């Protein structure tokens, strides 16, 4: 990805050769790679006559093990807030609930619609327009936008993923620095510790009171990952 961003603005480079094998990433990352390629592309994409593209449909599915627990005499205990909080359904149900189905259907419809928008006009390239600095009130080239990455499972201290203490320290540095006029929080998280999520959400709100914030959601932004972008005085924009 950094290489693609660099060559797009290097006048010495007139063409790029990409060898694409199996992409081990989610839809959001694949779309981000696509945007960077389009940012470089000047006219056409060439491929041999024997090239082919697999166009498969989209599907979602769930696994529910309540029947196994009943057989073993185990009673699962799951705390749940809200009808769409379906993470524990796989333990407490034998089939998918209507609320869970409604949520997944809406998500699948959105992904499919986005996919059609990208594939159908494939040969009719439209220049991708990125977010300009003026959008968040930045005019000087010396001013910068901070990018705070939040990737992985959320925890309070130690371990891997999003460590609340480290994330909050990054927020404090951005808030205290005069060179950062706005911030992008890149979220790729299934959630995790509830208290840690709440502490980070509070710091994001405090930062948003001083500087514009854009929440950019990658492959996963669920539970605490989604919560980070919420709040009545939170992020000015949410990009999915």
């Amino acid at each position: 990805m950094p290489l693609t961003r660099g060559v797009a603005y290097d006048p010495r480079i007139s063409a790029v050769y990409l060898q694409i094998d199996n992409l081990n990433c989610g839809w959001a990352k694949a779309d981000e790679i696509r945007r960077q390629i389009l940012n470089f592309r000047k006219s056409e994409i060439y491929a041999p006559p024997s090239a082919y593209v697999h166009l498969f449909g989209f599907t979602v599915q769930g696994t529910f093990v309540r029947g196994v627990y009943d057989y073993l005499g185990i009673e699962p205990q799951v705390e749940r807030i809200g009808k769409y909080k379906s993470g524990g359904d796989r333990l407490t149900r034998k089939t998918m609930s209507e609320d869970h189905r409604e949520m997944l259907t809406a998500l699948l419809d959105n992904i499919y619609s986005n996919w059609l928008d990208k594939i159908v006009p494939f040969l009719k390239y439209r220049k991708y327009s990125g977010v300009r600095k003026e959008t968040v009130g930045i005019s000087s080239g010396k001013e910068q936008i901070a990018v705070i990455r939040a990737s992985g499972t959320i925890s309070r201290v130690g371990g891997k993923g999003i460590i609340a203490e480290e994330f909050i320290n990054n927020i404090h540095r951005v808030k205290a620095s005069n060179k950062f006029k706005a911030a992008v929080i890149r979220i790729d998280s299934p959630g995790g510790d509830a208290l840690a999520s709440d502490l980070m959400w509070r710091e994001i709100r405090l930062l948003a009171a001083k500087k514009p914030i854009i929440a950019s959601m990658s492959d996963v932004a669920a539970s605490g990952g989604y919560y980070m972008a919420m709040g009545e005085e939170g992020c000015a924009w949410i990009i999915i």
Side-chain angles (χ1 to χ4, degrees), residues 60-64 96 100 104:
V60 290
Q61 61 184 12
T63 301
F64 302 92
M96 185 179 296
H100 192 182
L104 291 179

Side-chain angles (χ1 to χ4, degrees), residues 109-128:
D109 287 345
N110 180 269
I111 293 175
Y112 181 64
S113 176
N114 188 40
W115 183 82
L116 286 179
D117 289 341
K118 302 299 189 301
I119 297 298
V120 172
F122 181 73
L123 298 179
K124 297 180 180 179
Y125 169 64
R126 292 178 295 179
K127 185 176 181 181
Y128 172 74

